[in-house]
């Protein structure tokens, strides 16, 4: 009896993307409550580069295939799965397992793809727009007419935050690391913004960042801050927040900041963590409702994901390095299957 094999990019050790290994392995079979997915497209996120280096909030058990934002077609179903059938197009948000020709997912974590949405768009939408919607609306309690500052605004999550904020009636200030990236944020809907030169995350640069933000923002104090970068600019932004504002901790692409809590007292503001993965797992019904709203906005044209680059599967390491180097201007996608199948 002949065995069948699939191609997968595997993380066998703590390493940067260049040390990942291509392997031919047997396709995994779904267990009770699981489905097997023929992977068509994978969304790449900055967290994926952290997970393979054991720098994320949790440690993955090796060996594993990186990336978990997957769209594809159900190819096999495990026992007890009632709400899906083979041949259905789905997308799923996992922590890892996506960079393979076939992936296994819990059926409860899968969502049927809306009609007229292609695989690349589905893989470019759920995590970034879900994070932005959860952060701005649920955690940030945003109200129409308020002002939000989005840092790292040309990244996939930053651009999603701009579009979600505009859909909710907010005024948006954007920051980005270059003028080219800032113009992308402006084109996405930001009302105005400014460039933040890349500064190392150390005490020496804190005053430089603080003075820079104070100069740029002046009296335009944001009610919300959607911070995707951390680093020295996190404290600088917090110092400029409006009284009673909400600082949303989303990511740390520039390093984990240390925040003086006396600022929270003086500003009577809130510092709020936005851990979308945990939210989706703890509140699946509300998460489903969020996604229904997001995809309805997608279909109506209210929001449109910015797909930066599409890499073929054999260039997956290049895609991860593209994200690790913060070179992306929007969402990076890896094409594993034929989008037209």
């Amino acid at each position: 009896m002949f065995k069948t094999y699939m191609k997968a990019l595997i993380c066998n050790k703590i390493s940067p993307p260049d040390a990942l290994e291509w392997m031919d392995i047997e396709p995994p079979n779904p267990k009770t409550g699981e489905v097997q997915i023929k992977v068509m497209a994978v969304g790449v996120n900055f967290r994926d580069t952290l997970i393979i280096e054991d720098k994320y909030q949790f440690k993955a058990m090796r060996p594993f295939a990186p990336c978990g934002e997957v769209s594809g077609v159900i190819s096999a179903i495990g026992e007890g799965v009632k709400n899906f059938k083979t041949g259905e197009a789905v997308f799923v948000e996992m922590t890892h397992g996506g960079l393979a020709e076939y992936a296994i997912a819990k059926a409860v974590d899968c969502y049927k793809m809306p009609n007229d949405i292609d695989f690349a768009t589905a893989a470019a939408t759920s995590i970034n727009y879900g994070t932005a919607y959860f952060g701005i609306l649920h955690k940030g309690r945003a109200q129409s007419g308020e002002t939000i500052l989005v840092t790292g605004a040309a990244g996939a999550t930053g651009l999603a935050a701009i579009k979600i904020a505009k859909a909710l009636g907010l005024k948006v200030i954007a920051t980005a690391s270059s003028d080219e990236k800032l113009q992308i944020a402006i084109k996405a809907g930001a009302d105005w913004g400014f460039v933040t030169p890349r500064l190392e995350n150390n005490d020496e640069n804190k005053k430089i960042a603080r003075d820079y933000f104070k100069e740029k923002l002046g009296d335009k104090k944001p009610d919300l801050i959607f911070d995707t970068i951390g680093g020295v600019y996190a404290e600088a932004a917090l110092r400029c927040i409006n009284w009673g504002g909400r600082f949303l901790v989303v990511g740390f692409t520039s390093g984990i900041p240390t925040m003086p809590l006396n600022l929270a007292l003086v500003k009577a503001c809130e510092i709020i963590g936005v851990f979308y993965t945990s939210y989706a797992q703890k509140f699946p019904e509300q998460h489903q409702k969020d996604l229904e709203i997001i995809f309805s906005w997608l279909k109506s044209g209210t929001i449109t994901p910015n797909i930066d680059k599409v890499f073929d599967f054999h260039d997956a390491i290049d895609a991860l390095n593209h994200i690790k180097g913060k070179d992306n201007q929007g969402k990076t996608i890896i094409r594993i299957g034929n989008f037209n199948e």
Side-chain angles (χ1 to χ4, degrees):
M1 183 175 180
F2 293 101
K3 290 184 177 180
T4 58
Y5 294 91
M6 70 173 186
K7 185 72 69 178
L9 185 61
I10 300 296
C11 179
N12 285 307
K13 59 185 178 181
I14 299 172
S15 67
D18 288 335
L20 297 173
E21 298 179 58
W22 288 104
M23 299 183 70
D24 292 314
I25 60 178
E26 293 184 50
N29 294 314
K31 299 176 183 177
T32 300
E34 295 180 338
V35 297
Q36 182 194 70
I37 300 171
K38 181 181 180 182
V39 181
M40 305 299 284
V42 175
V44 188
N45 298 286
F46 188 76
R47 73 173 191 181
D48 299 320
T49 69
L50 299 177
I51 290 172
I52 64 175
E53 297 187 43
D54 271 5
K55 294 179 180 178
Y56 196 57
Q57 284 90 324
F58 63 85
K59 311 301 181 186
M61 184 178 296
R62 291 173 174 79
F64 67 89
C67 300
E69 189 172 15
V70 167
S71 64
V73 177
I74 292 180
S75 47
I77 293 177
E79 291 185 14
V81 176
K82 305 296 185 184
N83 54 336
F84 291 103
K85 59 184 179 181
T86 57
E88 285 188 313
V90 297
F91 65 92
V92 61
E93 302 165 6
M94 306 181 293
T95 54
H96 50 77
L99 287 183
E101 291 178 296
Y102 291 89
I104 294 294
K106 295 179 181 178
V108 295
D109 293 335
C110 295
Y111 301 90
K112 295 179 182 180
M113 276 177 47
N115 294 333
D116 303 324
I117 301 297
D118 61 37
F119 291 108
T121 300
T125 300
S126 57
I127 288 181
N128 301 123
Y129 281 87
T131 298
Y133 190 89
F134 167 57
I136 295 171
L137 190 68
H138 294 318
K139 303 300 287 185
R141 309 183 306 280
Q143 301 293 316
S144 179
E146 288 188 313
T147 297
I148 185 170
L149 170 68
V150 178
T151 67
T157 303
L159 289 169
I162 291 172
K163 295 181 181 183
I164 292 291
K166 296 304 291 184
L168 294 172
L170 277 65
K171 298 176 183 177
V172 178
I173 304 170
T175 75
S177 60
S178 70
D179 186 66
E180 180 184 7
K181 289 187 174 183
L182 180 61
Q183 294 310 311
I184 291 171
I186 298 295
K187 187 176 180 180
D191 294 283
W192 71 283
F194 54 94
V195 174
T196 50
R198 292 182 179 178
L199 295 175
E200 292 294 325
N201 186 26
N202 57 48
D203 290 339
E204 183 180 346
N205 285 329
K206 281 188 176 181
K207 186 177 186 305
I208 296 173
R210 183 168 67 240
D211 293 344
Y212 188 77
F213 259 64
K214 184 177 179 181
E215 174 192 349
K216 292 295 183 181
L217 286 172
D219 60 356
K220 299 181 179 68
K221 298 184 182 300
D223 303 292
L224 294 97
I225 296 172
F226 188 93
D227 183 34
T228 71
I229 63 173
V232 294
Y233 287 119
E235 179 185 327
L238 183 63
R239 288 181 178 275
C240 297
I241 201 169
N242 212 353
W243 194 92
R246 287 85 72 204
F247 185 102
L248 303 173
V249 181
V250 182
F252 314 108
T253 59
S254 294
I256 298 175
T258 54
M259 305 289 271
L261 292 182
N262 63 304
L263 291 178
L265 186 152
V266 172
K267 297 280 188 177
C269 66
E270 302 171 56
I271 300 174
I272 307 170
V274 180
F275 192 11
Y276 172 68
T277 301
S278 178
Y279 162 71
Q281 293 171 347
K282 290 179 180 293
F283 304 99
E285 292 183 2
Q286 182 59 55
H287 178 230
Q288 172 72 49
K289 293 177 182 178
D290 293 350
L291 290 176
E292 288 173 358
I293 293 171
I294 290 168
F295 276 91
S296 71
W297 284 350
L298 187 65
K299 292 181 71 173
S300 69
T302 302
I303 60 174
T304 306
N306 289 66
I307 296 179
D308 171 42
K309 286 188 176 182
V310 177
F311 289 80
D312 288 327
F313 190 22
H314 61 263
D315 293 322
I317 291 175
D318 291 338
L320 286 161
N321 279 323
H322 183 64
I323 291 289
K324 183 179 174 64
K326 305 171 191 174
D327 296 321
N328 60 302
Q329 299 174 8
K331 189 70 173 185
T332 298
I333 296 292
I334 296 173
R335 183 203 320 263
I336 294 184
N338 183 344
F339 290 166
N340 297 318
E341 287 185 8

